Amino acid sequence: MKMPTIFLPNDVQYLIITFLDNDDYGTKFILYKYLFVNRFWCRCIIPILWRRPRIDARVIRTYLSCLNHDELKTLIPFQINLPANNPPPLFEYGKFLETIKISDINKSVKSWLSKEGYKIETYWYKRIESWDYLMNSVKTVIWRMLMRKCRRITSIDLKLEQAEGDIPDIYSKRAIYYLKDFNFNILSGECKEKVYKNSIELLRRLPLLSTGLKHILWNGSLYSDLLVNLIQTQNGLETFNISQMSFRSNLTVLSSLRDTQSTTLTCFFASHVHFNKTSIQIIGSLHNLKTLSLSYCAGLEPKHSEIISRALFRLNKLILRHNSWYFKVDLALFEKAGQSLRSITLYDNFSSEIIRKVHKHCPNIKKMIIYIESSMHIPSFGTWISGLQNLHTLVIIDAIACSRISELAEKLPKSLQHLKYHGNLTSIDVFSKFFELCMVPLDTISIYPISFNYVFDQYISVISEFAIRIKSLKRLFLSRRAIPKQWQPQELELKKELEKQGVDLRILFTFYDD
């Protein structure tokens, strides 16, 4: 009997399609193919694909097709090849954009001009002024079009780099009003206001354009007064990331966080920052803080441990990377976090004593990222990991192709579902022994090699044998750069064997994708 065809209402189809909206490249590829199902699906999917497109020369070309008459007139002197009689684009692609990354636009405009035949002529000490003028003109018309069309810019990544120049002096409150993420990054050694006049003006005006920021990333010590003003005007900041800030500036900035955002801030990240008693007291007063990340920081002493023990926050996630202080400070952080700690990242800030302390005070860890640069702590790690009966995800960053890494395989708890290996795959024997000893019914494995000097089919063969043995593996993530451009017959057979075992092979574009 032939089953009747069921037609879903358009609003239900729309909800299903928008449910797939995320930054996963595989999902975007599938959505692209769905464009051609019918007109309704096309109208639903185009805004999704163009909210956060990967800006390149093709995207620049499309944006230029969206320019109005006044914007096109500014490009007439350069005789840029823009077909005059082409029909208008099917969609106003610029209005869908939600994420602006200035460096991507700069690089893509250069790439587009190069493909159009414009040669980048430079002397050893400077670039030709006519080239700069052309570059700035194209960037300006694209920026003007985006400010005119965009309905909802939620993220701006503003990097000030001498070679890239300034942004255009064009701002739209309608476009920036819904801004949630702001990244300000000074890459140039000298960030003079006359060089970045428009960028600094945007900083000054940003508190008037948007008051709903949720995430701020700030790299550098300059213009800390503008940062303080920005913080004080926001209604509910949730994440603050500070890097390369001077000692005097960071106290002023931290004080503004405490005074205006202490009830909303949940995540604090610091990199290359020097702390003291006052600054750690301020951080301790952020009573809703759930995530604390300290990388390459300094200044704390054992006597500051008492301040940490009196802190008001209850941490769920703690990240410690290469900090220059006595390990007693780290012990105090672990004791303070205690049973509420669910995720931990440890680089070289550990010892056998720290491992014992964390094992004692933090039994409820579900995700762990460990960086291995010495084999001496492997036995302690094994004992610690075996006692974590709630551990769901383990990320191993193996920088030395540690020969004793297989000892951890025998200690993995049965609760573990996702194992991610980021390391040097130069020894197939070590890799093979690890999965031979692993008896945990893993659901997901991710492989992200540091180097690519290895035989691909050997590692796939090991995973295939493991999948046959445990019969639980559902997903295998492999780094895009590690997958061969053209699969060999033997590799295709291994891939088919994995699919036969019900394993979905997926591409890992970045270390953080899965």
Side-chain angles (χ1 to χ4, degrees):
M1 180 179 177
K2 186 177 180 181
M3 296 297 292
T5 303
I6 300 176
F7 294 97
L8 293 175
N10 283 350
D11 56 346
V12 176
Q13 294 184 52
Y14 175 76
L15 288 174
I16 293 173
I17 292 172
T18 54
F19 181 75
L20 297 173
D21 177 22
N22 57 51
D23 289 326
D24 179 69
Y25 291 110
T27 301
K28 287 188 175 181
F29 179 73
I30 293 172
L31 285 172
Y32 177 77
K33 293 194 294 186
Y34 288 169
L35 279 174
F36 308 101
V37 172
N38 55 47
R39 289 184 178 182
F40 176 75
W41 281 39
C42 184
R43 289 197 300 268
C44 294
I45 292 173
I46 283 294
I48 295 175
L49 294 177
W50 284 85
R51 284 173 189 168
R52 292 177 291 274
R54 298 182 70 183
I55 305 293
D56 55 20
R58 292 172 300 176
V59 172
I60 295 299
R61 178 80 178 183
T62 302
Y63 280 159
L64 289 172
S65 71
C66 299
L67 302 180
N68 62 21
H69 179 70
D70 291 336
E71 291 158 352
L72 285 171
K73 281 198 306 184
T74 63
L75 298 179
I76 291 177
F78 303 104
Q79 298 180 345
I80 292 178
N81 182 25
L82 296 173
N85 298 322
N86 274 10
L90 294 176
F91 297 91
E92 297 183 74
Y93 297 98
K95 75 177 183 181
F96 304 125
L97 187 68
E98 292 185 357
T99 300
I100 291 182
K101 193 171 183 180
I102 306 301
S103 60
D104 283 354
I105 294 178
N106 292 337
K107 292 174 185 176
S108 299
V109 168
K110 287 181 184 178
S111 175
W112 178 78
L113 286 171
S114 178
K115 289 183 178 181
E116 289 296 311
Y118 294 90
K119 294 182 179 180
I120 308 175
E121 299 180 0
T122 60
Y123 292 114
W124 67 271
Y125 57 90
K126 70 174 183 177
R127 196 160 53 223
I128 300 298
E129 290 184 6
S130 59
W131 168 258
D132 282 339
Y133 189 49
L134 172 60
M135 269 283 299
N136 290 333
S137 297
V138 176
K139 287 193 299 184
T140 298
V141 295
I142 290 176
W143 182 274
R144 185 188 299 275
M145 181 274 296
L146 293 175
M147 290 295 106
R148 173 173 57 84
K149 285 182 174 289
C150 281
R151 298 174 176 175
R152 194 182 180 93
I153 296 175
T154 59
S155 175
I156 292 180
D157 189 336
L158 181 61
K159 293 184 178 180
L160 306 188
E161 189 172 12
Q162 189 78 30
E164 300 296 343
D166 205 0
I167 64 172
D169 184 18
I170 305 165
Y171 317 112
S172 168
K173 184 171 183 178
R174 185 188 68 174
I176 301 179
Y177 180 78
Y178 296 100
L179 191 66
K180 301 299 180 186
D181 303 335
F182 183 66
N183 179 355
F184 179 74
N185 195 349
I186 301 176
L187 299 179
S188 175
E190 293 185 3
C191 183
K192 298 179 180 179
E193 188 160 347
K194 65 178 181 180
V195 177
Y196 303 111
K197 179 181 177 182
N198 298 336
S199 299
I200 305 307
E201 182 61 24
L202 175 60
L203 285 178
R204 288 196 176 97
R205 296 177 59 179
L206 194 55
L208 302 176
L209 297 172
S210 177
T211 58
L213 286 179
K214 298 298 181 184
H215 314 284
I216 294 179
L217 189 154
W218 192 278
N219 183 9
S221 294
L222 297 179
Y223 309 109
S224 58
D225 56 329
L226 298 181
L227 173 59
V228 169
N229 187 37
L230 182 61
I231 291 172
Q232 292 175 343
T233 56
Q234 301 310 306
N235 293 326
L237 199 60
E238 296 175 359
T239 301
F240 187 75
N241 191 322
I242 189 173
S243 180
Q244 305 282 354
M245 181 160 282
S246 67
F247 178 69
R248 179 178 298 178
S249 298
N250 83 59
L251 285 178
T252 306
V253 171
L254 290 176
S255 297
S256 68
L257 283 174
R258 176 196 58 198
D259 296 340
T260 62
Q261 308 295 332
S262 63
T263 60
T264 61
L265 199 71
T266 59
C267 303
F268 180 81
F269 297 81
S271 175
H272 297 88
V273 175
H274 189 92
F275 293 105
N276 69 349
K277 177 181 177 181
T278 303
S279 55
I280 201 64
Q281 284 176 333
I282 293 174
I283 295 174
S285 67
L286 303 173
H287 55 270
N288 281 326
L289 200 64
K290 298 293 186 293
T291 298
L292 178 62
S293 174
L294 303 172
S295 303
Y296 300 93
C297 294
L300 296 184
E301 302 176 13
K303 62 183 179 181
H304 297 144
S305 299
E306 292 186 16
I307 299 174
I308 295 173
S309 65
R310 296 194 301 269
L312 300 178
F313 53 67
R314 293 177 58 86
L315 299 178
N316 293 332
K317 184 175 183 179
L318 181 59
I319 302 170
L320 299 173
R321 292 191 184 102
H322 305 290
N323 297 304
S324 301
W325 51 56
Y326 192 64
F327 74 89
K328 197 169 183 180
V329 174
D330 293 337
L331 291 179
L333 285 170
F334 292 128
E335 289 184 21
K336 178 59 185 176
Q339 297 189 10
S340 67
L341 195 64
R342 296 293 184 271
S343 176
I344 185 171
T345 298
L346 284 176
Y347 273 56
D348 67 344
N349 296 70
F350 56 78
S351 62
S352 297
E353 184 176 352
I354 282 183
I355 291 173
R356 288 194 298 270
K357 184 74 69 172
V358 180
H359 181 65
K360 176 182 178 181
H361 292 279
C362 312
N364 298 320
I365 295 173
K366 292 186 176 182
K367 181 176 181 180
M368 178 189 296
I369 302 175
I370 55 172
Y371 180 87
I372 297 175
E373 58 182 6
S374 170
S375 61
M376 63 180 295
H377 298 303
I378 292 293
S380 299
F381 269 132
T383 303
W384 177 23
I385 291 172
S386 64
L388 296 174
Q389 299 305 312
N390 295 315
L391 190 64
H392 177 277
T393 301
L394 175 63
V395 181
I396 299 174
I397 304 176
D398 182 10
I400 59 171
C402 181
S403 59
R404 299 183 64 183
I405 198 73
S406 58
E407 295 179 26
L408 292 180
E410 300 178 289
K411 301 292 186 178
L412 300 179
K414 296 296 182 182
S415 61
L416 192 68
Q417 295 184 31
H418 185 181
L419 176 66
K420 185 170 186 176
Y421 183 83
H422 179 38
N424 194 341
L425 301 180
T426 55
S427 175
I428 184 62
D429 295 334
V430 173
F431 190 84
S432 179
K433 187 177 181 181
F434 182 94
F435 283 98
E436 180 183 333
L437 296 175
C438 181
M439 298 299 174
V440 177
L442 296 173
D443 178 87
T444 305
I445 294 177
S446 301
I447 307 294
Y448 198 91
I450 292 175
S451 66
F452 302 99
N453 184 24
Y454 65 97
V455 182
F456 178 72
D457 66 295
Q458 291 182 348
Y459 289 89
I460 293 296
S461 178
V462 170
I463 299 298
S464 179
E465 292 174 4
F466 178 75
I468 293 172
R469 178 163 56 86
I470 66 167
K471 297 180 173 60
S472 63
L473 193 63
K474 296 293 184 291
R475 287 171 293 276
L476 173 61
F477 287 90
L478 295 173
S479 168
R480 176 173 60 91
R481 294 190 298 162
I483 297 176
K485 293 181 179 179
Q486 186 172 359
W487 292 69
Q488 299 301 315
Q490 184 179 356
E491 296 166 347
L492 287 172
E493 286 297 321
L494 291 169
K495 182 180 178 182
K496 290 179 180 178
E497 183 60 37
L498 284 169
E499 293 172 348
K500 183 179 177 181
Q501 297 299 319
V503 179
D504 182 15
L505 182 62
R506 302 186 182 183
I507 298 176
L508 197 65
F509 282 87
T510 70
F511 178 70
Y512 303 99
D513 274 351
D514 56 352

